[in-house]
């Protein structure tokens, strides 16, 4: 349970997230993920990172139960900062990050894969931002890196999900494979990347990040301010209690 790191082959680091039952990460889990990714990127022997998850789904976002147990705002602030650090660590990892997505990828999961370099997904994978049903906002920055602008807005406003095959059609998922082949497919791609010169692949990652049209860190931080406002106003608690349905009893 938690975040673990293995090196199955030369030049490849696999970072695995395992927070049963649904991979909804507590505050410390986001920081642990960030630390693991940054450590892998700093290792000169590593040329590619595979980010994977154990269990039923890739990521279910933040641990809402942890936030509900907190009578103040410490858990909310912690989740905001933890997600910010984890998403940034994916984006800023000094080597390419391949996300191996199985099952559901929701909320904070979109922040992770939206900042990854490449996505390989199982055929049962679904992607979405149910934030408006959770009394939160955020990660539209990252969803916009996966689908066109108007589709992003429709998915965001409705809390609907998109399948791995739909994202593959938009060009944001590299490959869709049966679930049992996901780990092998991700490793196959990582192996191809890891064969590149270590110095050159790091320069390539920095160069590509440098030409991005949107500053993902600043854009996401702007979104987080509205999440905090929703909590301070009380609307977040009201929405969470009614599962996002206006007027629900």
């Amino acid at each position: 349970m938690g975040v673990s790191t293995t090196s199955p082959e030369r030049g490849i680091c696999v970072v695995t997230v395992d927070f049963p039952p649904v991979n909804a990460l507590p505050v410390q889990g986001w920081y642990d993920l960030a630390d693991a990714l940054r450590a892998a990127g700093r290792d000169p022997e590593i040329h590619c990172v595979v980010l994977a998850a154990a269990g039923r789904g890739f990521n279910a976002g933040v641990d809402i139960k942890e936030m509900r147990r907190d009578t103040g705002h410490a858990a909310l602030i912690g989740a905001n900062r933890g997600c910010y650090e984890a998403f940034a660590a994916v984006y800023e990892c000094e080597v390419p990050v391949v996300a191996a997505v199985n099952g559901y990828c929701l909320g904070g999961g979109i922040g992770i894969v939206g900042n990854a370099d490449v996505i390989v997904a199982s055929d049962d994978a679904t992607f979405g931002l149910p934030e408006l049903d959770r009394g939160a906002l955020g990660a539209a920055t990252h969803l916009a890196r996966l689908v066109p602008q108007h589709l992003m807005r429709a998915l965001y406003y409705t809390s609907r999900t998109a399948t791995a095959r739909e994202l593959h059609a938009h060009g944001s998922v590299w490959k869709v494979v049966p679930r049992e082949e996901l780990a092998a497919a991700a490793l196959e791609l990582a192996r191809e990347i890891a064969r590149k010169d270590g110095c050159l692949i790091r320069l390539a990652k920095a160069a590509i990040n440098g030409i991005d049209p949107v500053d993902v860190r600043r854009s996401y931080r702007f979104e987080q301010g509205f999440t905090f406002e929703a909590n301070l106003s009380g609307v977040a608690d009201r929405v969470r209690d009614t599962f996002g349905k206006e007027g629900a009893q």
Side-chain angles (χ1 to χ4, degrees):
M1 179 175 169
V3 178
S4 60
T5 301
T6 59
S7 185
E9 299 181 19
R10 182 179 178 182
I12 300 173
C13 175
V14 178
V15 176
T16 303
V17 176
D18 183 12
F19 286 90
V22 297
N23 273 332
L25 273 60
V27 170
Q28 188 58 50
W30 294 106
Y31 282 107
D32 291 344
L33 176 57
D35 289 344
L37 288 163
R38 293 191 187 282
R42 287 193 300 266
D43 186 343
E45 299 300 317
I46 299 300
H47 294 187
C48 185
V49 172
V50 174
L51 182 53
R56 305 202 309 257
F58 181 78
N59 191 287
V62 303
D63 186 347
I64 297 296
K65 293 180 180 178
E66 181 182 43
M67 296 180 67
R68 282 179 167 169
R69 290 193 297 267
D70 182 18
T71 57
H73 298 297
L76 172 63
I77 294 171
N80 272 5
R81 291 179 176 174
C83 285
Y84 181 81
E85 289 300 324
F87 300 171
V90 175
Y91 185 77
E92 295 170 353
C93 183
E94 296 172 36
V95 298
V97 175
V98 175
V101 181
N102 60 295
Y104 45 81
C105 178
L106 306 171
I110 295 295
I112 292 171
V113 301
N115 272 358
D117 292 277
V118 191
I119 303 168
V120 177
S122 59
D123 53 13
D124 66 343
T126 55
F127 302 76
L129 282 178
E131 309 307 276
L132 293 184
D133 290 344
R134 295 177 175 178
L137 298 166
T141 293
H142 310 92
L143 185 58
R145 294 166 66 82
L146 301 176
V147 298
Q149 179 70 212
H150 286 84
L151 179 56
M152 178 275 288
R153 289 172 180 256
L155 292 173
Y156 195 85
Y157 295 148
T158 62
S159 298
R160 291 193 185 191
T161 59
T163 67
R165 295 201 181 280
E166 288 172 328
L167 264 61
H168 181 264
H170 288 294
S172 51
V173 167
W174 169 259
K175 193 173 187 179
V176 180
V177 298
R179 181 117 175 208
E180 63 272 16
E181 298 176 16
L182 179 61
L187 274 177
E188 180 183 16
L189 177 59
R191 190 178 301 121
E192 186 174 351
I193 295 171
R195 293 195 190 106
K196 307 300 181 184
D197 179 86
C199 179
L200 198 59
I201 200 69
R202 290 164 187 269
L203 289 174
K205 175 69 181 276
I208 291 175
N209 279 6
I211 62 172
D212 261 342
V214 175
D215 183 333
V216 294
R217 292 189 65 158
R218 184 173 62 184
S219 179
Y220 177 57
R221 195 61 172 162
F222 178 81
E223 290 187 74
Q224 285 187 315
F226 290 96
T227 297
F228 197 67
E229 181 177 330
N231 276 269
L232 289 179
S233 68
V235 67
D237 288 335
R238 185 176 76 246
V239 170
R240 279 194 292 265
D241 290 343
T242 61
F243 299 98
K245 306 301 181 184
E246 186 176 8
Q249 302 296 318

